């Protein structure tokens, strides 16, 4: 995202001269990430630093696009605002457990996928009534605004679960603990982080492929191709495996470390 601090006259002069301004020193890349998904995108309230697999992938991509740590700015983008933030160009990229879907592709250009997650279901540790997605019929599930996950249950599979609209995944866990909902059904990478250190259990019955893409403003094809080249390198040089192991080795998940088939930028 270019935030040039130029006096108007200087900007006009450069524009008239047809000078290329970039990449100028004051250029920065603004990347949308999650703030409440441990293991993927988490903002440390004390240090104000983001960390997790998505954040680390974002840093690696930025580096390969020519943006070192001092020129990368992270911005919290909950599921409900991702398309709007890209459309408004408040962010250049989104790396935030963002599944590529046909509907989203009409509004967003996606690089990747950089990982294929699978939807599973998290319940309270002592709840034996839910063994797979079909058991969610009649149950209250977390419906995070802007997320695809609850639709996979109710709309795609026609399971009569009641979605309880909730702004973020962090709030879903508060509601599960408080008994206000019965289950959180979403991507296994998210659930692994949410379950850690809690009295909660993943039922281990995956039922979708969630192709995690890098979101770009619709039509930003040149940068999308550059991101795909970066992702290829990140897999080829072992970085992806290192990051996946770093964040998910102890999760019990069977993580895949080969590069997914790219969808192609459009
Ligand atoms: N991957 C799903 C989605 O993009 C669920 C996770 C999320 O909301 O970020 O909707």
């Amino acid at each position: 995202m270019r935030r040039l601090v130029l006096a108007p006259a200087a900007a006009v002069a450069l524009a008239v001269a047809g000078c290329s301004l970039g990449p100028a020193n004051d250029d920065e890349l603004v990347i949308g990430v999650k703030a409440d998904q441990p293991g993927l995108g988490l903002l440390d309230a004390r240090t104000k630093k983001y960390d997790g697999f998505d954040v680390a992938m974002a840093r690696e991509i930025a580096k390969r696009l020519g943006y070192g740590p001092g020129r990368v700015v992270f911005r919290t983008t909950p599921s409900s605002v991702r398309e709007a933030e890209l459309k408004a160009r408040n962010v250049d990229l989104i790396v935030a457990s963002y599944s590529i879907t046909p509907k989203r592709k009409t509004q967003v250009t996606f690089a990747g996928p950089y990982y294929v997650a699978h939807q599973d279901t998290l319940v309270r540790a002592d709840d034996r009534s839910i063994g797979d997605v079909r058991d969610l019929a009649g149950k209250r599930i977390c419906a995070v605004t802007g997320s695809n996950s609850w639709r996979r249950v109710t709309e795609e599979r026609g399971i009569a679960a009641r979605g309880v609209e909730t702004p973020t995944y962090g709030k879903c866990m508060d509601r599960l603990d408080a008994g206000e909902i019965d289950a959180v059904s979403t991507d296994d990478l998210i659930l692994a982080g949410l379950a850690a250190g809690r009295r909660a259990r993943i039922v281990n019955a995956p039922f979708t492929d969630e192709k995690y893409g890098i979101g770009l403003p619709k039509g930003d094809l040149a940068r999308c191709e550059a991101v795909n080249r970066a992702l290829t390198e990140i897999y080829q040089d072992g970085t992806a495996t290192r990051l996946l192991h770093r964040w998910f080795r102890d999760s019990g998940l069977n993580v895949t470390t080969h590069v997914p088939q790219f969808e192609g930028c459009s």
Side-chain angles (χ1 to χ4, degrees):
M1 183 120 321
R2 182 168 296 155
R3 291 188 191 158
L4 285 172
V5 189
L6 283 178
V12 170
L14 282 168
V16 168
C19 292
S20 165
L21 297 171
N25 288 337
D26 51 351
D27 266 4
E28 53 192 26
L29 193 69
V30 183
I31 308 181
V33 293
K34 292 291 179 66
D36 67 341
Q37 291 179 186
L40 280 174
L42 187 69
L43 177 62
D44 185 312
R46 198 175 49 83
T47 63
K48 304 278 180 251
K49 286 208 155 68
Y50 292 87
D51 221 343
F53 174 66
D54 277 349
V55 174
M57 279 300 257
R59 286 199 182 102
E60 291 292 337
I61 291 163
K63 188 168 82 187
R64 287 164 173 81
L65 295 182
Y67 294 86
R71 293 170 63 207
V72 176
V73 175
F74 288 111
R75 184 174 164 99
T76 301
T77 48
S79 302
S80 58
V81 305
R82 291 178 295 202
E83 290 82 27
E85 286 284 87
L86 285 170
K87 226 171 261 173
R89 295 194 175 249
N90 289 335
V91 290
D92 297 301
L93 302 177
I94 290 191
V95 191
S97 61
Y98 201 4
S99 298
I100 302 173
T101 67
K103 187 169 168 214
R104 288 175 181 163
K105 270 176 131 175
T106 65
Q107 303 179 65
V108 173
T109 289
F110 281 104
Y114 60 96
Y115 192 77
V116 181
H118 307 286
Q119 185 162 338
D120 210 319
T121 302
L122 184 80
V123 297
R124 282 181 290 276
D126 55 0
D127 185 346
R128 295 283 147 191
S129 67
I130 300 170
D132 73 15
V133 64
R134 286 183 298 275
D135 298 331
L136 294 176
K139 303 281 188 184
R140 297 160 303 171
I141 63 169
C142 211
V144 172
T145 317
S147 159
N148 207 35
S149 301
W150 58 276
R151 293 180 193 281
R152 299 263 197 229
V153 177
T154 55
E155 291 176 10
E156 288 182 14
R157 279 166 188 74
I159 293 165
R162 182 155 74 80
V164 177
E165 179 144 12
T166 305
T168 62
Y169 287 94
K171 291 267 182 294
C172 287
M173 294 312 289
D174 295 344
R175 289 201 151 149
L176 189 69
D177 289 345
E180 293 168 15
I181 57 168
D182 304 301
V184 183
S185 187
T186 189
D187 313 335
D188 50 5
L189 294 192
I190 300 176
L191 294 180
L194 294 177
R198 280 189 135 92
R199 286 193 38 73
R201 180 175 65 85
I202 300 174
V203 300
N204 199 12
F207 60 95
T208 69
D209 282 344
E210 301 299 324
K211 296 177 188 170
Y212 279 7
I214 314 283
L216 297 103
K218 184 76 184 159
D220 202 348
L221 302 184
R223 186 172 269 164
C224 179
E225 301 289 359
V227 171
N228 277 346
R229 285 194 294 277
L231 288 175
T232 303
E233 204 179 294
I234 287 167
Y235 269 90
Q236 275 174 355
D237 70 7
T239 303
T241 303
R242 180 171 55 77
L243 296 181
L244 282 163
H245 283 166
R246 173 164 166 223
W247 291 102
F248 301 110
R249 190 180 24 227
D250 301 327
S251 68
L253 288 179
N254 197 2
V255 291
T256 311
T257 55
H258 59 254
V259 60
Q261 172 83 46
F262 292 162
E263 298 253 308
C265 299
S266 63

